Amino acid sequence: MVNFNEKPNAEPLPRQSGASIILDGRYLPPPEDKDGKLWVRTSALVQGSPQDLYALWRKTELAPLWQEEIEEVVLTGETTSRWTMRSDDTVITWDSEILADEPGERIAWRSIGGDSDNAGEVIFEKAPGGRGTYVIVLQEFRMSKLTSAWETLSGRNPKQAVIENLRHFKALAEAGEIPRSQEAPHGKRGLIARFKRSLYGENVTTPPGTKVA
Amino acid sequence: MKAICWMGKYKVETQTVPDPSIINPRDAIIRITRTAICGSDLHLYDGFIPTMESGDIMGHEFMGIVEDVGSGVGNLRRGDRVVVPFTIACGNCFFCRKKIWSACDNSNPNAHLMEAAYGYSGSGLFGYSHMMGGYAGGQAQYARVPFADVGPLKIESDLSDEKVLFLSDILPTGYMAAENAQIQPGDTVAVWGCGPVGQFTIASAFMLGAGRVIAIDRYEERLALARALGAITVNYADEDVSVLTAIKDLTGGTGPDSCIDAVGLEGHSAELQGIYDTIKTAFLMETDRPVVLRQAIQAVRKGGTVSIPGVYGGLLDKVPFGAAFGKGITMKMGQTNMHTYMKPLLERIEKGQIDPTYIISHRISLEEAPEMYKVWRDKQENVTKIVIDPWLDRAA
Ligand SMILES: NC(=O)c1ccc[n+]([C@@H]2O[C@H](COP(=O)([O-])OP(=O)(O)OC[C@H]3O[C@@H](n4cnc5c(N)ncnc54)[C@H](O)[C@@H]3O)[C@@H](O)[C@H]2O)c1
Ligand SMILES: [Zn+2]
Ligand SMILES: [Zn+2]
């Protein structure tokens, strides 16, 4: 038996934590990419309650404010919506359905036809030490012919897009806006400026966050 | 507007560029009345900091008059006079709430670049590469300031611009460097570098209780300023001077309680290790020249503290970590947590306790800046600090 029991600030461990990060006290790595499926798992510490953050995320129609290249989300039913994504002149659309909706805790979704095959969940967990909320996203894509369009057209690796979208969500929740510098004035650009822009990921327009000033 | 643009290594130009405008609700537009060139700008000029692009507007030390504010800025109005901190902070993330402002989670739009290099991204900075945010800098006539409800410090007295301008970076930086040195009353503190940051570090070390300060540099005019502050100076370039021996001689063989590296990644050395670093950095096997850091770790007393305001960017070679461990030292460093220090330091200026203008050697126009970057890099003309009036109409 272990007998080192003085832990004044330890908090009880969840038996199972969101997006399978912890199971029975063990850390589990994210699922591996295989059989044409890509996985991405990302998390952020956000100052806010699980309830408020859940509520912001659940407003599906507001996704264009903080998700990259999402032009429009139209609610088509209680749990369904139609998504339009645009990059330059290429547009793709798909329908999405919410599979699980647990207020203040978790939302899970999947696409149900259209130009993208994806599924995901987001979990809102109280962080230890009263530090706010861990927001954890686990998303998978099936990269069929049609969906590989997503990658090409977004100019961003789709995994990175999930990571960036969570970053934008966090900024919107904490700061009330998303930081942006793509409009910064500048002098004469060099010959490889376009290449550098895409290298830095600056060719993907930062979503608007709160509408302008 | 006119602005100073980075156009490649060793190349800056004064160009006419579009004016900035309000983008986000918490933005302000500042009409810049004074701005300065910093030692940190040299790291850009000399090509040490990656992700700069031709046309990027430089500068991160500036102040001015509020020209316009977004709907989310309640505490500033058109016409207010403000000093702007060089680190951009949202005020509400975990780090801002802990007052580790320069680690703000929400101010770097290109956080993924820094995340890839450093594990996590720091705050966005003005005019300091795309990796640090891609924001236009303040060596210009106007600047857009994000999170203007949190950063800019209002100046309500009639103090001259020059007296308060350095609250934008180097005065808080020198102060935090001394604070990070964990000085106890009567301690001996050694400071490498007597540039603007070194100057304010020396002054702050005395303010925080140092009994003795040893200042190290090779430029006599800078050493003279350090002596005027009350420091003992060591000119490391003098014949027969070995810095490590000098420091032992001056501390009874014990070493200083704290060593402060106010030089950073472009440390100069004529010795073999300097040549070694120059060759290695040229071949990209090393990104920084940590000659001063090596000396500071070597020189500090057992159980002492090394504080590092000097900027480092990447991979350092031959850092004597065994010595650091063997002596059980503490190291503290980082971009300055500006927002914590600006107000208390302003109060000291208002009370007349400190006057940071003594370091200014040159006052110039934007047109003169490209030439002055060279002078600044080579430390010619006894240059100690260059202040720019962006509205001064004087050709190069
Ligand atoms: N931590 C921060 O937030 C922060 C803020 C501002 C500046 N900085 C950094 O502080 C450093 C100093 O800035 P500055 O404006 O004073 O620059 P500066 O270039 O004017 O001063 C550097 C001084 O170091 C001296 N020096 C060079 N090699 C030396 C050596 N081997 N031993 C002793 N002295 C040596 C130079 O002669 C010069 O006087 C830079 O690295 C700058 O980037 C950091
Ligand atoms: Zn600076
Ligand atoms: Zn913040």
Side-chain angles (χ1 to χ4, degrees):
Chain A
M1 267 326 258
V2 181
N3 193 15
F4 273 108
N5 287 328
E6 194 179 327
K7 13 177 146 163
N9 299 313
E11 296 183 20
L13 275 181
R15 199 195 69 76
Q16 187 177 349
S17 118
S20 311
I21 289 182
I22 302 173
L23 185 63
D24 289 331
R26 275 174 230 270
Y27 164 78
L28 299 182
E32 253 182 280
D33 293 348
K34 63 171 180 230
D35 304 332
K37 258 192 203 172
L38 297 182
W39 290 91
V40 54
R41 193 171 71 191
T42 180
S43 56
L45 170 64
V46 186
Q47 302 305 296
S49 69
Q51 288 71 25
D52 290 350
L53 297 172
Y54 160 88
L56 180 60
W57 195 294
R58 184 62 183 79
K59 284 195 195 104
T60 316
E61 68 280 13
L62 295 188
L65 293 184
W66 57 273
Q67 295 198 22
E68 293 181 346
E69 306 193 312
I70 300 299
E71 191 172 65
E72 190 183 47
V73 179
V74 179
L75 302 183
T76 51
E78 192 90 324
T79 57
T80 54
S81 50
R82 165 156 278 252
W83 292 60
T84 306
M85 186 173 187
R86 169 191 293 274
S87 178
D88 297 327
D89 291 334
T90 324
V91 177
I92 60 172
T93 61
W94 68 92
D95 288 296
S96 186
E97 169 188 37
I98 291 180
L99 299 172
D101 187 4
E102 301 160 25
E105 290 181 16
R106 171 171 174 263
I107 308 166
W109 63 88
R110 63 163 186 190
S111 60
I112 47 168
D115 304 327
S116 173
D117 188 350
N118 70 78
E121 66 174 328
V122 56
I123 283 107
F124 306 91
E125 259 180 26
K126 260 209 167 76
R131 288 182 171 195
T133 300
Y134 287 155
V135 180
I136 305 160
V137 179
L138 178 67
Q139 178 137 1
E140 66 165 274
F141 314 90
R142 198 173 274 285
M143 300 300 280
S144 69
K145 238 191 261 163
L146 265 179
T147 52
S148 68
W150 180 332
E151 185 170 21
T152 353
L153 120 164
S154 70
R156 234 239 226 267
N157 171 305
K159 290 192 185 187
Q160 192 63 32
V162 173
I163 294 168
E164 294 309 320
N165 284 342
L166 178 57
R167 205 192 307 281
H168 300 319
F169 176 80
K170 170 182 154 80
L172 186 59
E174 288 184 335
E177 61 185 46
I178 297 172
R180 45 195 320 131
S181 59
Q182 290 169 354
E183 304 84 347
H186 56 78
K188 287 180 219 104
R189 288 295 192 210
L191 288 173
I192 55 166
R194 274 174 68 102
F195 165 73
K196 282 198 172 174
R197 254 168 66 80
S198 77
L199 192 71
Y200 303 154
E202 290 176 347
N203 55 339
V204 181
T205 307
T206 306
T210 311
K211 279 277 169 43
V212 174
Chain B
M1 67 168 182
K2 284 189 289 191
I4 297 172
C5 298
W6 187 90
M7 296 304 289
K9 195 170 163 178
Y10 306 140
K11 207 168 160 208
V12 299
E13 287 175 11
T14 308
Q15 295 183 7
T16 300
V17 305
D19 288 351
S21 55
I22 301 263
I23 308 284
N24 270 339
R26 296 173 65 190
D27 286 356
I29 301 296
I30 308 293
R31 179 185 189 272
I32 299 172
T33 52
R34 282 294 184 282
T35 174
I37 307 181
C38 178
S40 301
D41 292 324
L42 288 179
H43 310 324
L44 305 175
Y45 188 69
D46 295 341
F48 275 88
I49 306 287
T51 73
M52 285 296 288
E53 251 181 86
S54 309
D56 285 351
I57 299 172
M58 301 187 61
H60 57 269
E61 301 183 350
F62 60 98
M63 64 176 299
I65 308 290
V66 175
E67 177 86 6
D68 195 5
V69 294
S71 59
V73 182
N75 59 326
L76 293 181
R77 267 194 278 161
R78 191 183 155 88
D80 283 346
R81 191 157 72 113
V82 294
V83 181
V84 179
F86 78 101
T87 56
I88 304 169
C90 80
N92 198 36
C93 67
F94 172 72
F95 295 97
C96 285
R97 288 183 180 189
K98 268 186 133 33
K99 305 204 179 305
I100 314 175
W101 308 93
S102 68
C104 174
D105 265 344
N106 294 320
S107 58
N108 183 352
N110 294 331
H112 66 106
L113 293 173
M114 223 170 144
E115 216 165 63
Y118 291 175
Y120 308 96
S121 172
S123 74
L125 309 180
F126 290 102
Y128 216 75
S129 83
H130 288 258
M131 176 170 130
M132 313 272 188
Y135 291 104
Q139 286 165 10
Q141 291 178 314
Y142 293 93
R144 165 189 167 233
V145 176
F147 302 130
D149 54 331
V150 171
L153 174 71
K154 236 196 266 190
I155 307 295
E156 279 159 314
S157 51
D158 56 5
L159 288 168
S160 70
D161 279 5
E162 286 188 352
K163 279 205 170 152
V164 293
L165 172 62
F166 302 140
L167 288 167
S168 61
D169 176 354
I170 51 175
L171 184 54
T173 295
Y175 190 86
M176 183 167 119
E179 200 178 77
N180 275 348
Q182 313 194 98
I183 298 166
Q184 301 293 310
D187 273 3
T188 295
V189 178
V191 179
W192 277 254
C194 298
V197 171
Q199 293 296 327
F200 295 151
T201 301
I202 295 165
S204 302
F206 279 124
M207 260 160 37
L208 292 173
R212 244 190 207 187
V213 175
I214 303 167
I216 306 144
D217 204 307
R218 74 176 181 287
Y219 293 105
E220 272 309 323
E221 65 278 9
R222 294 178 174 217
L223 292 169
L225 291 178
R227 278 193 300 275
L229 288 171
I232 303 168
T233 61
V234 175
N235 188 327
Y236 71 88
D238 274 357
E239 219 173 318
D240 298 331
V241 167
S242 146
V243 172
L244 294 177
T245 308
I247 286 176
K248 273 199 170 171
D249 288 348
L250 292 166
T251 56
T254 306
D257 303 286
S258 310
C259 287
I260 305 181
D261 172 356
V263 178
L265 63 89
E266 294 191 64
H268 156 269
S269 167
E271 295 162 30
L272 204 57
Q273 58 164 340
I275 298 164
Y276 170 88
D277 287 321
T278 307
I279 294 170
K280 283 203 102 173
T281 48
F283 286 98
L284 294 177
M285 290 155 73
E286 181 180 37
T287 54
D288 303 33
R289 293 195 311 245
V291 285
V292 168
L293 182 59
R294 290 179 192 134
Q295 283 182 2
I297 293 174
Q298 204 73 25
V300 72
R301 73 153 163 83
K302 292 175 280 186
T305 303
V306 172
S307 155
I308 313 166
V311 166
Y312 289 90
L315 306 178
L316 277 58
D317 195 18
K318 298 219 168 12
V319 172
F321 212 79
F325 180 86
K327 292 192 285 184
I329 68 171
T330 301
M331 294 203 235
K332 296 186 72 139
M333 63 197 89
Q335 301 282 4
T336 307
N337 294 313
M338 293 297 299
H339 304 53
T340 299
Y341 303 102
M342 293 172 77
K343 191 129 199 237
L345 287 169
L346 171 63
E347 281 163 13
R348 283 185 143 104
I349 298 173
E350 280 170 346
K351 286 190 197 132
Q353 290 166 341
I354 52 183
D355 179 358
T357 53
Y358 80 96
I359 62 167
I360 303 173
S361 57
H362 291 67
R363 295 170 172 85
I364 65 167
S365 67
L366 283 171
E367 279 77 10
E368 292 168 314
E371 201 44 48
M372 286 309 295
Y373 260 89
K374 270 192 217 111
V375 170
W376 178 233
R377 179 194 58 193
D378 300 333
K379 314 287 183 235
Q380 298 158 340
E381 301 181 11
N382 293 339
V383 65
T384 47
K385 186 75 183 179
I386 301 165
V387 170
I388 304 171
D389 173 355
W391 300 93
L392 177 65
D393 196 11
R394 197 161 71 197

